[in-house]
Amino acid sequence: MTTPHRPRNPRGHGKRLRTEILTAATELLDTGGDERTVTLRAVACRVGIAPPSIYPHFLDQSAIMLAVVRQSFAELTHRLRAAAAAVVDPRQRLHALCRAYLEYAQKYPQRYRVMFGDLWHPVVDGGVTPDEVTTMGAEAMRLLVDSLAACVASGHSASRDPAVDAIALWLGLHGLAHQRAVASWYPWPADITQRVAIPLARLVNAR
Amino acid sequence: MTTPHRPRNPRGHGKRLRTEILTAATELLDTGGDERTVTLRAVACRVGIAPPSIYPHFLDQSAIMLAVVRQSFAELTHRLRAAAAAVVDPRQRLHALCRAYLEYAQKYPQRYRVMFGDLWHPVVDGGVTPDEVTTMGAEAMRLLVDSLAACVASGHSASRDPAVDAIALWLGLHGLAHQRAVASWYPWPADITQRVAIPLARLVNAR
DNA sequence: TCCGAAAACTTATCGGCGTTACCCCTTGCG
DNA sequence: CGCAAGGGGTAACGCCGATAAGTTTTCGGA
C-alpha cells in the first residue's frame, strides 16, 4: 500500500502485533454477521499492515480463528466462574450459571457459533485435536457438574447421575444458545430458558 | 476443458442439469467434511460442465446451498412423517420421532450442520427470509407438537403447554444432534438421548 | 429438406482470496 | 560506526465466485 505506514514495533515487542491481529479478527467477527468476513486481508487492513505480515504470528487463517475460539472459551469460562462465585444457594447458583452461559451466547452470537462450529473437524491437519477442544470446555463443564451435584445434595435436584445429567443440561442450553444465535428473529417463548433448564436439571419444586 | 464433453441435454430438459448440480453439491457436502469444499468449480467439475454453466440454474453459489438445505428439510420431514406413521402408541411415537430426527443428523452430519447453520443470517440480500426458514421446519415441528400433545392426552406426559414444551424438546434434540455432528468423537453417554428427551417431554413412568 | 432462432453450454476474463518467496528498512548492540 | 537480526512490505501464484461474450446443438416451421 502507498498509505502511510503504522509505526513499527520496537525490537522485543513483535508479539504486540499478535494481539492486535487477534482483537481485529474478533471485532470483524462480531460486526460482520459471517465468519467469512474475517478474511486475512480484512484483518490485515484493519490492523494497518500488509496481509503477509500476519504469517510470522499465525500459521494460517484458520489459526487466527482457532486463537479467537481459544480466547472466547477462556472468557466464557471466566464469566461462568464469576457468576457461580457470586451466589451461594445451589439452586440459584445453577440458575446463574445457565443465565451467564446464555447471556454470553446472546451477546456474542458470532463468536458462539464459531466456538461450537467447525475447526473441531480438521481432525488430522495441524488444526485442533479433540483433546484440546475438550480441554477448552472442561472447566465450564466441571462448574456445571459441581453445581448440579450441589443441587442434588441440597435436595433441589432429583438427578441420579449429575455427571451425565449435566451433559444433558448443557446440550439443552447449547441448543437454545446456538439456535438463538442463528435465528434471533424467531419468536422464542419468554420462559424458554426455564422450560429447557429446569427439566434437564431435574429440579423439583419448580417456580 | 479439453476433456470429452458430456452429452448435451435435449431442448426441453435443461432442468435435468439442475438436479445433477444439486446431487453433486450434496455429495460433495457429505464426503468433504467442510461446506467450503462445496465450491462452484468443484460442483461443475463433478457434474462434467464448465463452472459458468451453473448460473442459468442457480443465481449464485449460496443459492445452491440453499437448495440443498431445502431438499434436506424435505427429506428430514419425510422421514419424521414415516417414523410417526409407523407407530400408534403415543409414547412410542414420540420416541420414534426423536430417534428418526437424531438418526438423520447422525447419518448426514454435514447436511445437518448446514441446515441449521448460516443462510439464516443473510436477512436482507436475496437470501432466505425468516418466514421461509420457519416454513421449512414447520411441519416437522407440528409433528412433534402433535405427538407430545397425544402423550399428554394419554397421560404419558405431564406437560401443561405442549406447544412450548415441544420447542424445548426440539432444542434439546438439536443441541444433541448438532454437537454430535460437530464432535462425533466425544464420548457421549450411551443413554444421552433418553437423558435429554424424557425430561424435556416431561414423560412420566420413565423406563 | 433446410434454416434460423432459441436453448445449452463454453471460453476468456476480472477482482478478491490465501499463501509463498523474496526484498527492504529500521533497530540496537558491539 | 558497522552490521546481524527482527519487523514488515512487494510481487506473484493458483484457486475462487462471477460476468460477458461467443459457440454449438436442437427443433419447429417453410
Side-chain angles (χ1 to χ4, degrees):
Chain A
M1 290 218 285
T2 52
T3 58
H5 303 138
R6 48 168 254 138
R8 172 181 304 220
N9 276 326
R11 189 59 80 87
H13 302 76
K15 288 191 177 177
R16 191 183 297 171
L17 185 52
R18 199 194 131 93
T19 71
E20 288 185 43
I21 293 171
L22 212 60
T23 65
T26 306
E27 290 170 9
L28 275 172
L29 178 61
D30 284 340
T31 63
D34 199 324
E35 63 259 40
R36 280 187 298 267
T37 67
V38 186
T39 183
L40 214 151
R41 290 173 130 95
V43 171
C45 176
R46 178 174 261 258
V47 175
I49 58 177
S53 298
I54 290 180
Y55 284 89
H57 302 281
F58 295 93
L59 207 148
D60 55 9
Q61 195 251 357
S62 75
I64 302 180
M65 295 310 279
L66 177 57
V68 171
V69 165
R70 219 188 301 263
Q71 181 186 258
S72 299
F73 262 105
E75 191 189 335
L76 173 59
T77 302
H78 177 75
R79 289 191 181 214
L80 293 184
R81 213 169 12 215
V87 182
V88 285
D89 176 62
R91 182 176 177 138
Q92 295 303 320
R93 173 177 292 189
L94 189 61
H95 274 140
L97 268 178
C98 297
R99 219 179 311 125
Y101 188 90
L102 293 171
E103 273 174 6
Y104 181 85
Q106 202 157 21
K107 189 166 184 177
Y108 307 108
Q110 320 302 339
R111 271 185 244 183
Y112 187 85
R113 260 189 32 242
V114 175
M115 286 168 74
F116 298 97
D118 302 322
L119 315 177
W120 310 58
H121 207 273
V123 188
V124 196
D125 4 10
V128 62
T129 69
D131 291 343
E132 187 172 357
V133 174
T134 307
T135 303
M136 283 197 264
E139 182 169 358
M141 181 55 80
R142 203 175 324 127
L143 285 169
L144 206 61
V145 173
D146 291 350
S147 192
L148 182 57
C151 283
V152 172
S154 66
H156 287 109
S157 168
S159 170
R160 290 182 166 195
D161 189 344
V164 172
D165 285 331
I167 295 180
L169 171 57
W170 172 71
L171 285 173
L173 292 177
H174 170 64
L176 175 54
H178 179 260
Q179 212 48 29
R180 265 209 304 217
V182 162
S184 57
W185 42 261
Y186 189 83
W188 301 105
D191 61 341
I192 188 63
T193 300
Q194 282 77 18
R195 296 270 190 171
V196 170
I198 291 178
L200 285 175
R202 291 184 144 77
L203 292 187
V204 295
N205 298 332
R207 62 156 186 154
Chain B
M1 291 217 287
T2 52
T3 59
H5 303 137
R6 49 168 250 136
R8 171 181 302 224
N9 277 326
R11 188 63 78 88
H13 303 77
K15 289 190 177 177
R16 192 182 298 170
L17 185 52
R18 199 194 131 94
T19 71
E20 289 186 41
I21 294 171
L22 213 59
T23 64
T26 305
E27 289 170 10
L28 275 171
L29 177 61
D30 283 340
T31 64
D34 198 324
E35 64 258 39
R36 280 187 298 268
T37 68
V38 186
T39 182
L40 215 153
R41 291 171 129 95
V43 172
C45 176
R46 178 173 260 259
V47 175
I49 57 176
S53 298
I54 290 179
Y55 285 91
H57 302 280
F58 295 95
L59 206 147
D60 55 9
Q61 195 252 355
S62 75
I64 301 179
M65 294 309 279
L66 177 57
V68 171
V69 166
R70 220 189 301 263
Q71 182 186 256
S72 300
F73 263 105
E75 191 188 335
L76 173 60
T77 302
H78 177 74
R79 289 191 181 215
L80 294 183
R81 213 169 12 213
V87 182
V88 287
D89 175 63
R91 183 177 176 138
Q92 295 304 321
R93 172 176 292 188
L94 189 61
H95 274 141
L97 267 178
C98 297
R99 218 179 312 124
Y101 188 90
L102 292 171
E103 273 174 6
Y104 181 84
Q106 203 157 21
K107 188 166 184 178
Y108 307 108
Q110 319 303 340
R111 272 185 243 183
Y112 187 85
R113 260 189 33 243
V114 175
M115 285 167 74
F116 298 97
D118 301 324
L119 314 177
W120 310 58
H121 206 274
V123 189
V124 197
D125 359 12
V128 61
T129 69
D131 291 343
E132 189 172 358
V133 175
T134 307
T135 303
M136 284 196 263
E139 182 169 357
M141 181 55 82
R142 204 175 324 128
L143 284 170
L144 206 61
V145 172
D146 290 350
S147 192
L148 183 57
C151 284
V152 172
S154 65
H156 287 110
S157 168
S159 170
R160 291 185 163 193
D161 189 342
V164 172
D165 285 329
I167 295 180
L169 171 57
W170 171 71
L171 285 173
L173 292 176
H174 169 64
L176 175 54
H178 179 261
Q179 212 48 29
R180 265 208 304 217
V182 161
S184 58
W185 42 262
Y186 188 83
W188 301 105
D191 61 340
I192 188 64
T193 299
Q194 282 77 16
R195 295 269 190 171
V196 169
I198 292 177
L200 285 175
R202 290 185 146 75
L203 291 187
V204 293
N205 298 334
R207 63 158 185 154

